[in-house]
Amino acid sequence: MSFKCGLIGLPNVGKSTLFNALTNLKVPSENFPFCTIHPNIGIVPIYDIRLKKLSDIVNPDRIVPAFVKFVDIAGLIKGSHKGEGLGNKFLQDIRTVDALIHVVRCFKDDSVIHVNNVINPIVDVQLINDELIFSDYEMCEKIIIQLQKRNKHCRKKICVDSLVLEVCLNHLKKGYMLNSLFFNEQDKNIIKKFNFITYKPIMYVVNINDSKKDSDILDNLLKFLKLKKCHIISFCALSKKFNLNVNVQTKVQISNNENLYCEKLNEVILSGFNLLGLHTFFTVGKKEIKSWVVKKGIVAIEAARKIHTDLKKGFIRAQIVSYKNFVKYNGEAGSKKFGKYRSEGKNYQIQDGDIVHFLFNV
């Protein structure tokens, strides 16, 4: 399962710098607004220490980690929903991602241009949120009008869609993002069809200065975001760069500063992973150990389809052992000896860290 996290924010707040650090690419990150016009995409492996431990036991030919795509999206400005600064194109780019990482500048530096010439991260956050809300409001309004035209013969499904969208429109009109609304499962399935930006899960990466001189600015922003119950990561995008894409089979010796930088990058990656309610199961063999990313709550037969459609068609059962037990008993033979392997049917819910072997017949 591939998933994409989009880096959004005002121009020149550090999105491209963070993108380069995450992906080890070298896209332009110059000190002027709209340095980025077209979205840049980078694929990053999710570093999972469990792969290393499994490899130590099995010694496979190769290891295949899970991956996340990061998309560096051009900065939005006030009026983007009306097309200011190519805003409509950039907003459309945002609709293609699964989760949002809102990068916010939280430091003063006269040598680094701010598009509004004032360092006020709370205002910056609200400006971006407003543009997303305005864009969704306009789209929601258009969809409702289209449904009303088709609804003259009142097909039940269209009526239900219209009712849910009316709730969304009223919420947006009040200046709130759709991810702050509670929906039942039926309503969630309706909302997902329309790909609203403000319904996407969002986290905030606060781009700070290494010095303490801007602590008041940071403290005020953190209080503001915590009131909204947002997930927040503070990060200095101009710190010493470190390549996160380390080989999972290699023990890398790094200094304390580099280690902290690496941990921050990995926190961004894992937070994007968790925002979408995803987790990992493993297939383990001498040829390959592989991570598979699935939605929490997925059942065995659907997890089998992620690997190959034939596994779902001919599904018999799944042999399961937890990662913890596999490591504790030093592999498959030990886990079986102590009765830690079990057989599960097609409706078993895959747990994070499960090691799964699917039995099938086609």
Side-chain angles (χ1 to χ4, degrees):
M1 178 179 183
S2 62
F3 60 102
K4 295 195 293 186
C5 292
L7 302 176
I8 67 168
L10 289 173
N12 220 40
V13 294
K15 297 186 303 300
S16 295
T17 304
L18 176 59
F19 175 83
N20 286 338
L22 288 165
T23 61
N24 200 33
L25 296 176
K26 293 181 174 60
V27 303
S29 53
E30 303 299 332
N31 184 22
F32 58 85
F34 303 114
C35 173
T36 301
I37 297 295
H38 302 290
N40 300 299
I41 300 176
I43 300 175
V44 181
I46 299 173
Y47 180 70
D48 190 332
I49 190 62
R50 295 176 295 184
L51 289 173
K52 174 67 168 61
K53 292 184 178 180
L54 291 173
S55 175
D56 289 343
I57 295 170
V58 179
N59 193 27
D61 293 339
R62 67 171 185 159
I63 297 174
V64 183
F67 291 85
V68 57
K69 290 182 181 179
F70 284 96
V71 185
D72 177 25
I73 298 170
L76 300 173
I77 61 172
K78 188 173 183 179
S80 287
H81 70 287
K82 297 179 180 178
E84 295 290 335
L86 297 178
N88 285 331
K89 178 189 179 304
F90 301 159
L91 286 162
Q92 193 57 41
D93 291 336
I94 297 172
R95 293 194 189 279
T96 68
V97 303
D98 303 302
L100 305 177
I101 299 174
H102 186 164
V103 182
V104 187
R105 175 177 170 178
C106 204
F107 64 89
K108 294 179 180 178
D109 187 337
D110 292 339
S111 67
V112 180
I113 299 168
H114 188 285
V115 69
N116 294 328
N117 297 316
V118 178
I119 306 301
N120 190 330
I122 294 176
V123 171
D124 293 350
V125 166
Q126 197 57 58
L127 188 156
I128 295 296
N129 289 350
D130 285 347
E131 291 303 318
L132 302 182
I133 290 167
F134 291 146
S135 179
D136 273 358
Y137 181 87
E138 291 183 356
M139 190 176 85
C140 187
E141 197 171 41
K142 288 177 183 177
I143 294 170
I144 290 172
I145 291 171
Q146 291 170 358
L147 289 177
Q148 287 173 343
K149 289 179 179 178
R150 293 165 52 195
N151 202 27
K152 291 180 180 178
H153 302 291
C154 197
R155 293 191 299 178
K156 184 178 180 181
K157 183 174 181 298
I158 294 177
C159 292
V160 173
D161 287 4
S162 294
L163 290 173
V164 174
L165 288 170
E166 287 287 356
V167 172
C168 293
L169 191 69
N170 289 331
H171 196 68
L172 292 164
K173 190 174 183 179
K174 293 175 183 176
Y176 299 120
M177 300 176 82
L178 294 180
N179 56 23
S180 64
L181 260 181
F182 173 78
F183 296 102
N184 60 33
E185 287 303 315
Q186 180 183 6
D187 292 348
K188 285 179 182 178
N189 290 330
I190 292 172
I191 295 299
K192 287 175 184 176
K193 295 188 302 184
F194 300 108
N195 204 19
F196 290 115
I197 297 174
T198 62
Y199 186 62
K200 299 178 187 294
I202 186 169
M203 61 179 279
Y204 291 85
V205 172
V206 182
N207 188 4
I208 61 173
N209 198 317
D210 276 333
S211 71
K212 304 292 184 182
K213 65 179 181 179
D214 301 319
S215 58
D216 289 345
I217 297 174
L218 176 61
D219 289 344
N220 290 335
L221 176 63
L222 294 180
K223 288 176 185 177
F224 173 74
L225 293 177
K226 284 176 181 177
L227 286 174
K228 295 178 175 291
K229 299 180 180 179
C230 302
H231 186 77
I232 310 160
I233 297 174
S234 59
F235 183 85
C236 184
L238 297 178
S239 292
K240 183 177 180 180
K241 305 299 180 293
F242 179 74
N243 178 11
L244 187 65
N245 300 329
V246 294
N247 188 318
V248 292
Q249 300 183 60
T250 304
K251 187 176 181 181
V252 181
Q253 299 295 331
I254 52 181
S255 71
N256 289 336
N257 287 339
E258 288 172 330
N259 187 49
L260 177 61
Y261 191 78
C262 182
E263 286 176 1
K264 283 292 185 181
L265 291 176
N266 208 43
E267 186 181 355
V268 174
I269 294 170
L270 292 176
S271 295
F273 189 79
N274 292 329
L275 273 176
L276 293 165
L278 304 172
H279 64 188
T280 304
F281 74 90
F282 304 104
T283 51
V284 176
K286 291 296 291 183
K287 288 186 177 181
E288 176 184 273
I289 293 176
K290 186 168 183 177
S291 295
W292 298 90
V293 178
V294 292
K295 282 278 189 182
K296 293 177 181 178
I298 193 171
V299 295
I301 193 168
E302 290 302 324
R305 185 176 66 84
K306 298 292 181 183
I307 299 175
H308 198 284
T309 53
D310 284 350
L311 293 186
K312 180 180 179 180
K313 291 176 183 177
F315 182 92
I316 299 173
R317 63 183 180 273
Q319 292 183 323
I320 309 284
V321 61
S322 70
Y323 164 81
K324 182 178 179 180
N325 284 327
F326 191 91
V327 172
K328 181 178 179 180
Y329 297 105
N330 200 37
E332 181 177 341
S335 300
K336 287 182 175 178
K337 178 181 176 181
F338 287 93
K340 299 304 178 181
Y341 263 88
R342 63 190 190 277
S343 291
E344 298 287 357
K346 63 182 181 180
N347 293 322
Y348 167 75
Q349 286 192 359
I350 298 293
Q351 302 300 305
D352 184 56
D354 275 350
I355 295 169
V356 186
H357 176 63
F358 293 104
L359 300 180
F360 69 105
N361 182 22
V362 177

